[in-house]
């Protein structure tokens, strides 16, 4: 019995992988166990991910109950095309839907389950890839573990969809291997669709890297590049079948993001000097201990003032770093030539900002394409773990000596570039880790001749477990305690989801209107998150969102000058009035924005002050004056409707002095309904303009106009007017047709492959 179990363990790389990952995860979570703290990450985790997931899960529940699709969010900043804007975050991510099954456990526990699951999936998918490539069982388990807990895997675990993409990526390359070995095309079409659904941004990076991988592997398999183009064109066709399948999400996203400020380009000729030092040191040290606190300050040992160039996740393991240079003396000239050229190309891209900008989707230089570099490095050095007897010990000793020299000199150079006096205290942790790795490299050099794959596995378990635990502890120890989590999930000291309901009881008219609420982010929410409106289900006036509604960008530029990037917290009284802000919640009266407000409860929920806006303006109201956008004036925002030049005559001729409002409002899911007692005229709705809105007045569709920096304006008929508004993301229908076509082509591809297999069996 025991002998059978032992043999199964020896011959089962999946079981070995499971055990190795489990050991590392136990070490990983030791800080949480000791301090009885939940798993969490830093800024984006609280500011964005938890809230976006919370909102989407609420939307999914409503959609399932009412048999609709989760298109529109009312609780995200001013109203948001969630389907298109949050495809970057979670809409297409299969792990998000797995988390939905555990929603009742609470979002922190959901995130913990998903994080653990992704570490296992990362290892298992890499396991299957390495199995296909013919590596030995022990090597497969080691490589899978190194992939799961690489710098990228751990450092980007707080960017949840990045981690999802990383976990599934080996299956994508496995599908290419299936094409090479068995001429199977269906797996690649499916994986192209899965990866694009998961995250379009990383799929763009992956698509470029696919070209590099295909050429590299084709050369290694065939010994030359003869016939490569013919083989490549077939796979390109299959690639586009996968892309077509995703049309239902891809087309709405492309139409949305083409107006986004995310695509602003900052072209540089050279990085600041510290970036190159950081690049060098990242080959030898895990990124998560180089930037163990927020890197944006630029005050850490190797960090820059740009978060994109502060994140250089290339490291896998110390043993891998030591073995990688063996490629330069590899006896297999074909493998040596191809591998060196691929590594050199990745280094060149990394060194030249204009090239890394291309890899980043033309939106500032970034090193996130190293997700492919990690994959390549593990593939290359696994060859030497597979055949330890072929490792050149003399080169290994020289490698160790060189690494130690680099660690020392790069650290000294970084201290010099950043300023000795300022950095010594802040850099102490990184310097300690650098010293620890210098010792580790010495140990590897001394003991390597006596090492085997089992000892390598133990070494990697200890290394990755300790590094991950240190990184995890940096969050657990970051002034976070149980009180912090209580504040986060109960910062308004009110039951989740009932906040807006309680506000409604203040005024019976609240139940038939749409209004927004200002909550002071500093004194009430402790700056915990700019998106807690998702948690408490109210319509707020602040956000932190990299894919906010593009229409806001133009308006923000006009009222605030240069864009305030991704963080918005409206405090201007005129703008709060314009955006139909009815209530304001602060801790003290001196925390109020300037404006005309009346105190209606000085002990709201026991510790807050609730004010009502005396200048409250309804969501929908007619206007009495119109002008062109070129004459936009913030001081006249609530007096004049500013429109496009082409629309001035049409709207100007319909203006009258009769004032009317949108009343009896109901809004839910993807629709809003209301009633107007009208004498004609032009009505402004302070919802972000989108071609996705279809508005029916008395059952007849009406044309919408862009107004006041691209909000919604429309012409009213006279009399009693019923208003029915329905939202569908622009491009959804054409994207759905595209997806149907993609699935049809995939079906044809499946039938053709089955026919070929049948014919082979007959022959």
């Amino acid at each position: 019995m025991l002998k059978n179990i032992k043999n199964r363990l020896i011959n089962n790389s999946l079981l070995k992988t499971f055990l190795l990952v489990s050991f590392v995860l136990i070490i990983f979570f030791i800080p949480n166990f000791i301090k009885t703290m939940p798993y969490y990450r830093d800024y984006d985790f609280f500011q964005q991910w938890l809230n976006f997931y919370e909102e989407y899960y609420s939307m999914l529940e409503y959609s399932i109950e009412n048999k609709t699709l989760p298109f529109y969010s009312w609780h995200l900043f001013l109203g948001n095309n969630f389907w298109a804007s949050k495809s970057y975050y979670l809409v297409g991510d299969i792990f998000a839907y797995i988390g939905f099954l555990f929603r009742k456990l609470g979002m922190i526990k959901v995130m913990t389950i998903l994080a653990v699951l992704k570490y296992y999936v990362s290892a298992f998918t890499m396991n299957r890839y390495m199995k296909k490539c013919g590596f030995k069982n022990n090597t497969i388990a080691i490589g899978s573990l190194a992939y799961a807990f690489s710098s990228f895997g751990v450092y980007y675990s707080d960017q949840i969809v990045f981690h999802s993409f990383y976990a599934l990526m080996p299956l994508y390359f496995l599908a290419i291997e299936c094409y090479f070995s068995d001429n199977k095309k269906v797996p690649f079409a499916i994986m192209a669709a899965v990866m694009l659904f998961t995250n379009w941004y990383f799929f763009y990076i992956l698509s470029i890297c696919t070209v590099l991988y295909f050429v590299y592997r084709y050369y290694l398999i065939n010994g030359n590049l003869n016939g490569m183009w013919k083989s490549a064109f077939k796979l390109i066709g299959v690639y586009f079948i996968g892309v077509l399948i995703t049309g239902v999400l891809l087309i709405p996203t492309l139409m949305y993001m083409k107006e986004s400020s995310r695509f602003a380009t900052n072209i540089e000729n050279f990085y600041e000097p510290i970036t190159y030092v950081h690049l060098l040191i990242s080959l030898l040290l895990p990124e998560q201990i180089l930037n163990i606190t927020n890197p944006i300050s630029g005050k850490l040992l190797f960090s820059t003032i740009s978060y994109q160039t502060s994140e250089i996740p290339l490291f896998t393991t110390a043993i891998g770093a030591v073995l990688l240079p063996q490629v330069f003396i590899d006896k297999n000239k074909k493998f040596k030539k191809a591998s060196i050229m691929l590594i050199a190309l990745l280094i060149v891209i990394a060194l030249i900002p204009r090239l890394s900008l291309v890899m980043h989707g033309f939106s500032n230089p970034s090193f996130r394409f190293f997700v492919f570099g990690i994959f390549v490095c593990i593939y290359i050095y696994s060859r030497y773990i597979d055949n330890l007897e072929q490792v050149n010990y003399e080169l290994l000793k020289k490698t160790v000596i060189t690494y130690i020299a680099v660690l020392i000199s790069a650290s000294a150079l970084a201290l010099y570039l950043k300023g000795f006096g300022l950095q010594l205290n802040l850099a102490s942790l990184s310097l300690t880790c650098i010293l620890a790795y210098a010792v580790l490299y010495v140990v590897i050099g001394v003991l390597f001749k006596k090492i085997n794959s089992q000892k390598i596995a133990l070494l990697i378990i200890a290394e990755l477990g300790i590094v991950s635990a240190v990184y995890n502890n940096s969050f657990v120890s970051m002034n976070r305690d149980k009180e912090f989590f209580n504040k986060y999930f109960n910062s308004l000291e009110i039951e989740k989801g009932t906040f807006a309901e309680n506000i409604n009881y203040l005024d019976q008219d609240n139940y038939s209107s749409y209004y927004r609420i200002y909550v002071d982010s500093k004194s009430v929410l402790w700056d915990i998150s700019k998106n807690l409106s998702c948690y408490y289900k109210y319509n707020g006036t602040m956000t932190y969102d990299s894919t906010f509604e593009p229409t806001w960008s133009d308006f923000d530029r006009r009222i605030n000058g240069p864009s305030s990037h991704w963080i918005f917290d409206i405090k201007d009284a005129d703008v709060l009035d314009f955006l139909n802000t009815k209530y304001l919640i602060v801790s003290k009266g001196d925390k109020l924005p300037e404006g005309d407000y009346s105190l209606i409860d000085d002990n709201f929920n026991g510790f807050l002050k609730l004010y009502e806006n005396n200048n409250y303006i309804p969501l929908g109201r007619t206007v009495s004056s119109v002008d062109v956008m070129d004459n936009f004036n913030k001081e006249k925002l609530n007096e004049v409707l500013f429109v496009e030049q082409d629309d001035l005559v049409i709207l100007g001729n319909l203006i009258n002095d009769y004032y009317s409002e949108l009343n009896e409002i109901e809004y839910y899911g993807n629709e809003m309904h209301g009633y107007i007692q009208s004498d004609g005229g032009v009505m402004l709705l302070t919802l972000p303009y989108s071609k996705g809105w279809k508005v029916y007045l008395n059952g007849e569709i009406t044309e919408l106009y862009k107004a006041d920096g691209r909000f919604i304006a429309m012409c009213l008929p006279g009399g009693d007017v019923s208003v029915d508004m329905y939202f569908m993301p622009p491009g959804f229908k054409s994207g759905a047709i595209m997806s149907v076509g993609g699935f049809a082509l995939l079906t044809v591809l499946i039938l053709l492959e089955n026919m070929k297999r049948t014919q082979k069996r007959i022959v």
Side-chain angles (χ1 to χ4, degrees), residues 42-59:
D42 199 24
Y43 195 76
D44 283 1
F45 187 78
F46 284 103
Q47 291 280 352
Q48 292 185 312
W49 295 101
L50 282 179
N51 296 286
F52 294 165
Y53 269 71
E54 177 67 42
E55 177 68 0
Y56 192 53
Y57 285 174
S58 296
M59 292 168 64

Side-chain angles (χ1 to χ4, degrees), residues 135-146:
F135 290 105
K136 297 175 184 177
N137 283 341
N138 284 348
T139 304
I140 292 171
I142 292 169
S144 301
L145 180 66

Side-chain angles (χ1 to χ4, degrees), residues 306-320:
S306 166
Y307 75 91
Q308 288 103 334
T309 53
S310 274
E311 301 170 350
I312 310 180
L314 186 57
F315 184 83
T316 56
T317 62
I319 194 74

Side-chain angles (χ1 to χ4, degrees), residues 169 289 494 519 567 589 611 654 657 692 734:
M169 192 177 72
I289 63 173
I494 193 168
V519 180
I567 299 178
Y611 290 81
L654 295 174
D657 292 330
S734 56

Side-chain angles (χ1 to χ4, degrees), residues 105 200 257 516 573 605 648 722 743:
L105 297 176
W200 52 263
M257 294 305 297
R516 297 187 173 103
N605 286 342
L648 181 63
S722 64
F743 277 112

Side-chain angles (χ1 to χ4, degrees), residues 105-311:
L105 297 176
M107 289 309 303
I108 286 287
K109 290 181 180 178
V110 168
M111 294 304 179
T112 305
I113 291 169
L114 293 183
V116 171
L117 177 62
K118 288 173 195 177
Y119 282 117
Y120 278 114
V121 172
S122 299
F124 293 158
T125 56
M126 190 63 173
N127 179 292
R128 295 299 87 187
Y129 168 80
M130 295 184 71
K131 186 78 172 179
K132 184 67 176 178
C133 291
F135 290 105
K136 297 175 184 177
N137 283 341
N138 284 348
T139 304
I140 292 171
I142 292 169
S144 301
L145 180 66
Y147 181 79
F149 294 95
S150 72
S151 281
F152 196 101
V154 176
Y155 188 70
Y156 280 121
S157 61
D158 65 337
Q159 301 291 326
I160 296 170
V161 77
F162 292 2
H163 200 191
S164 299
F165 192 96
Y166 182 77
L168 297 173
M169 192 177 72
L171 294 181
Y172 178 86
F173 291 112
L174 172 61
I176 297 177
E177 293 298 323
C178 289
Y179 174 71
F180 281 137
S181 62
D182 309 316
N183 199 31
K184 290 182 179 179
K185 303 179 184 67
V186 171
F188 185 70
I190 293 173
M191 284 313 303
V194 169
M195 301 309 291
L196 181 48
F197 268 128
T198 302
N199 186 254
W200 52 263
Y201 160 63
F202 261 103
F203 186 77
Y204 166 83
I205 296 173
L206 182 64
S207 297
I208 297 175
C209 295
T210 301
V211 177
L212 305 180
Y213 181 84
F214 186 90
V215 175
Y216 175 69
R217 288 293 292 149
Y218 188 93
Y219 179 77
L220 290 183
I221 292 168
N222 297 284
N224 56 60
L225 299 180
N226 296 336
M228 184 191 72
W229 288 111
K230 181 179 179 181
S231 179
F233 280 129
K234 291 180 181 178
L235 201 63
I236 290 171
V238 177
Y239 167 93
F240 281 110
I241 291 175
V243 172
L244 284 172
I245 291 171
T246 68
V248 69
L249 187 59
L250 177 63
I251 298 303
T253 297
L254 290 177
M255 294 185 69
Y256 185 92
M257 294 305 297
K258 70 180 181 181
E259 300 181 61
S260 172
S261 61
R262 282 197 70 105
F263 290 106
T265 302
N266 179 21
I267 299 177
E268 302 176 59
N269 291 317
F270 300 100
Y271 296 115
E272 56 182 303
I274 192 65
T275 304
Y276 294 100
V277 181
H278 193 169
L279 271 168
L280 180 61
I281 207 80
S282 293
L283 297 170
L284 312 181
L285 286 171
E287 175 65 20
Q288 58 267 35
I289 63 173
L290 293 178
N291 282 332
I292 206 156
T293 60
N294 192 338
I296 298 176
S297 66
K299 294 180 180 179
L300 299 178
L301 186 56
F302 297 101
S303 65
T304 67
I305 58 174
S306 166
Y307 75 91
Q308 288 103 334
T309 53
S310 274
E311 301 170 350

Side-chain angles (χ1 to χ4, degrees), residues 488-687:
Y488 183 87
F489 292 111
N490 205 14
S491 59
L492 293 172
E493 296 190 5
I494 193 168
E495 185 181 347
K496 170 192 168 184
T498 64
F499 173 75
E501 186 70 15
N502 283 7
I503 294 289
N504 278 339
Y505 281 112
L506 296 171
D507 186 341
Q508 62 180 2
D509 290 337
N510 288 344
Y511 283 100
S512 60
S513 65
Y514 173 101
Y515 57 88
R516 297 187 173 103
I517 301 172
Y518 170 89
V519 180
D520 182 45
S521 62
K522 298 286 186 182
S523 64
V524 177
L525 301 180
W526 297 280
D527 260 346
I528 292 170
S529 175
K530 295 290 191 296
N531 287 303
L532 277 177
S533 56
C534 297
Y535 188 79
Y536 288 106
K537 307 306 177 193
Y538 68 91
N539 307 315
T541 60
M542 61 182 171
T543 191
Y544 167 51
D545 186 356
S546 65
T547 56
F548 58 90
E549 200 73 27
T551 51
W552 173 255
S553 182
D554 183 39
F555 185 77
D556 179 62
R557 177 178 55 82
R558 293 177 185 277
I559 63 174
N560 292 323
S563 175
S564 48
H565 205 44
W566 300 339
I567 299 178
F568 305 104
D569 189 0
I570 302 169
K571 297 182 181 295
D572 186 290
D574 291 331
V575 179
L576 289 172
D577 295 345
F578 175 79
L579 294 173
N580 66 294
T581 304
K582 188 169 186 178
Y583 297 106
L584 300 93
I585 297 176
V586 295
S587 61
K588 298 178 181 178
D590 60 5
K591 301 296 183 181
L592 276 173
E594 291 185 7
D596 184 10
Y597 314 117
S598 297
L599 179 66
I600 59 174
D601 190 343
D602 66 353
N603 196 34
F604 183 68
N605 286 342
F607 77 114
L608 298 172
K609 296 186 181 300
L610 177 65
Y611 290 81
E612 185 169 2
N613 184 5
N614 295 323
N615 295 324
Y616 168 69
I617 304 173
L619 172 73
R621 65 271 191 176
T622 54
V623 297
S624 58
S625 180
V626 64
D627 201 350
V628 294
M629 282 299 297
D630 290 342
N631 296 329
F632 184 89
N633 185 339
K634 188 179 77 169
E635 304 301 323
K636 298 181 178 180
L637 183 61
N638 292 308
E639 301 172 10
V640 180
L641 184 72
F642 296 97
V643 299
E644 303 294 331
Q645 179 70 52
D646 293 343
D647 301 329
L648 181 63
V649 174
I650 296 173
L651 298 178
N653 289 335
L654 295 174
I655 291 291
N656 61 43
D657 292 330
Y658 184 85
Y659 179 76
S660 56
E661 301 174 354
L662 180 64
N663 296 309
E664 300 180 19
I665 296 174
E666 294 181 352
Y667 62 98
Y668 42 81
N670 307 313
E671 52 193 278
M672 174 181 274
H673 304 278
Y675 166 80
I676 306 168
Q677 191 173 23
S678 168
D679 192 27
V682 176
M683 175 164 282
L684 169 69
L685 287 174
T686 50
L687 290 175

Side-chain angles (χ1 to χ4, degrees), residues 385-509:
I385 295 177
D386 232 18
N387 300 280
L388 288 171
E389 67 280 358
Q390 294 183 12
V391 173
N392 185 301
Y393 187 60
E394 291 303 314
L395 175 59
L396 187 140
K397 287 194 296 184
K398 292 177 182 178
T399 299
V400 168
I401 293 170
T402 302
Y403 284 2
I404 294 172
V406 168
L407 288 171
I408 295 171
S409 58
S411 302
L413 181 56
L415 285 169
Y416 171 76
L417 290 171
K418 300 303 259 328
F420 285 93
L422 176 67
Q423 292 300 315
L424 279 173
N425 182 46
L426 290 170
S428 59
L429 181 56
S430 290
L431 289 172
T432 301
C433 294
I434 288 168
L435 177 61
Y437 262 88
V439 173
L440 178 59
Y441 283 125
V442 170
V443 171
I444 291 173
V446 171
L447 300 180
F448 193 84
K449 277 192 173 181
K450 299 179 180 179
I451 211 164
N452 55 34
S453 58
Q454 288 85 358
K455 291 178 181 177
I456 289 176
L458 292 174
L459 177 66
I460 292 177
I461 287 174
E463 177 196 357
L464 297 182
I466 292 170
V467 168
S468 298
V470 169
Y471 183 62
N472 200 28
N473 186 66
S474 70
F475 295 107
V476 173
S477 303
M478 199 181 293
N479 298 318
R480 302 290 195 255
D481 51 25
K482 291 180 180 179
E483 182 183 357
F484 171 84
F485 288 96
N486 288 335
K487 282 182 177 181
Y488 183 87
F489 292 111
N490 205 14
S491 59
L492 293 172
E493 296 190 5
I494 193 168
E495 185 181 347
K496 170 192 168 184
T498 64
F499 173 75
E501 186 70 15
N502 283 7
I503 294 289
N504 278 339
Y505 281 112
L506 296 171
D507 186 341
Q508 62 180 2
D509 290 337

